[in-house]
Structures are given as structure tokens and as C-alpha cells.
Amino acid sequence: MTKFLDRAYQARDATSTRALYDNWAASYEAEVAENGYATPGRCADALKKYVSDVSAPILDFGCGTGLSGLALKLAGFQAIDGVDLSAEMLEGARAKGVYRHLDQIEADSGLPRNGYAAMAAIGVIGAGAAPIDVLHTLMRALPKGGKLVFSFNDHALEDPANEGGIAAWTDCGAARLLFKEHGDHLPGIDLNSTVYVLEKA
């Protein structure tokens, strides 16, 4: 069952990406579960190490069908808001019952709400998904001391621009890298990911 996974990592524009994920929504969870999707839990656990108040609102950017929000909830986060390009994916997220607010967004649009001291972009940035600009958008929106957890799978790591986006923040001291760990992403297809936590200086 890799029909959509085979297509997920091909570069495309925002309209085509939304169409892919709308069409994938019904089978997405079964497909990633069959392949042992591990990154949401790894990201949620990593972020929790650095967030002192799990009752404060957190933004799940690119929340999809809500597997990331469910992982955040299981890690103890209590006020989770989600945004995504795909209306179909958001229906799956709504059914999870773990989100306080859910919003559909457009590519390159601003965030519908502000004031988050913690954000997550789990499995969001990379080939066939969101560009590295998303990292910059989220980091700019964070307050001083705010935390962002995100992941790059092995396909994303092949593009030096992605880790270069991290360096753009850390090399000048605008952010600190608190956590970096390579591990399972979709072990069923032998795909790994690196999880990162950045703190805005």
C-alpha cells in the first residue's frame, strides 16, 4: 500500500500538493500506519522536554488528519490548534477531537492566530510538501524563547537548502538548536527523519 507514498515526495506546486492530500485523506492514516509512522511521537516527546507549560496553546502547522495533534495530546499538550492546506485532511483532524481550533490556510498566507510560545511542523517541510520558507515564517511568528519542533525526512535532508534554513537562524544567534536526532520515520519503507527543536533567541 504505497500508492500515495510513492507520489508524496515528488516536487509540485501548492495547488497540486493540496489536490494530492485531499485525495489521500481517506487512506492516509492506514498507509502511514502500515509503514510504522514514528515521527509524530518522536517530535512530541522532544518538544515536551523543553516546554515548561503544556497547558499553553501550541500550533500544529500542517496538521493533516491529526496524527501529529494526537501525538502532542498523548505527550501532555492541552490546547492544540491546527492548520492545513487540505480541507479533506482537516476533516480527519476534526474527527480526532484533540484540537481547540482548526483552520484551512492558503500557501504563503499568514498564520490565522498568533501568540503561540510553541509550534510544531511535523513531517511538513520537504520535497512534495512545504518549502523551507515555512520554517522562517514559523520562527518569525514565535516570541523570544518560543520553541519550534519540526522534522526533515531523508528526502528533505538530500536538499542542502533545508538544513541551510536552520543555519540561517542558528549561525547568527537568532535561535539555538536545542535538540537534533536522526531516527525512524517510516521504517516500513526504510525511510528515516531527523527531529529538531529550535528556541528563538
Side-chain angles (χ1 to χ4, degrees):
M1 189 193 288
T2 56
K3 175 184 167 188
F4 283 98
L5 279 174
D6 288 343
R7 297 163 52 199
Y9 304 117
Q10 300 168 11
R12 66 182 69 82
D13 61 23
T15 300
S16 299
T17 297
R18 173 177 286 170
L20 173 76
Y21 283 90
D22 279 345
N23 292 329
W24 194 4
S27 63
Y28 174 82
E29 293 193 18
E31 189 165 347
V32 296
E34 180 179 88
N35 288 286
Y37 192 28
T39 297
R42 292 178 56 219
C43 285
D45 291 343
L47 183 61
K48 189 178 180 183
K49 294 177 184 177
Y50 302 101
V51 172
S52 57
D53 182 7
V54 293
S55 68
I58 179 172
L59 178 66
D60 182 11
F61 185 92
C63 63
T65 62
L67 293 177
S68 47
L70 187 58
L72 291 165
K73 182 67 110 179
L74 290 171
F77 293 96
Q78 298 168 25
I80 307 164
D81 294 346
V83 298
D84 201 89
L85 286 175
S86 167
E88 297 294 329
M89 287 278 185
L90 285 168
E91 286 304 308
R94 193 165 286 110
K96 297 286 186 302
V98 300
Y99 290 97
R100 187 180 65 159
H101 300 294
L102 284 168
D103 293 286
Q104 185 176 8
I105 57 169
E106 299 295 327
D108 303 321
S109 67
L111 299 179
R113 295 178 177 82
N114 291 305
Y116 300 102
M119 298 185 187
I122 299 172
V124 169
I125 299 168
I132 191 60
D133 291 352
V134 164
L135 175 74
H136 304 310
T137 296
L138 297 178
M139 287 299 296
R140 285 192 294 265
L142 279 175
K144 181 178 180 179
K147 314 293 193 305
L148 172 67
V149 65
F150 59 99
S151 62
F152 294 152
N153 66 36
D154 288 341
H155 295 296
L157 290 167
E158 290 171 0
D159 183 349
N162 288 326
E163 286 210 303
I166 300 173
W169 286 88
T170 58
D171 286 358
C172 67
R176 291 192 305 136
L177 181 62
L178 301 179
F179 182 90
K180 179 180 179 180
E181 179 188 74
H182 195 65
D184 286 345
H185 177 56
L186 289 164
I189 57 171
D190 296 320
L191 190 65
N192 290 326
S193 66
T194 297
V195 170
Y196 307 82
V197 179
L198 283 177
E199 178 182 53
K200 190 169 181 181

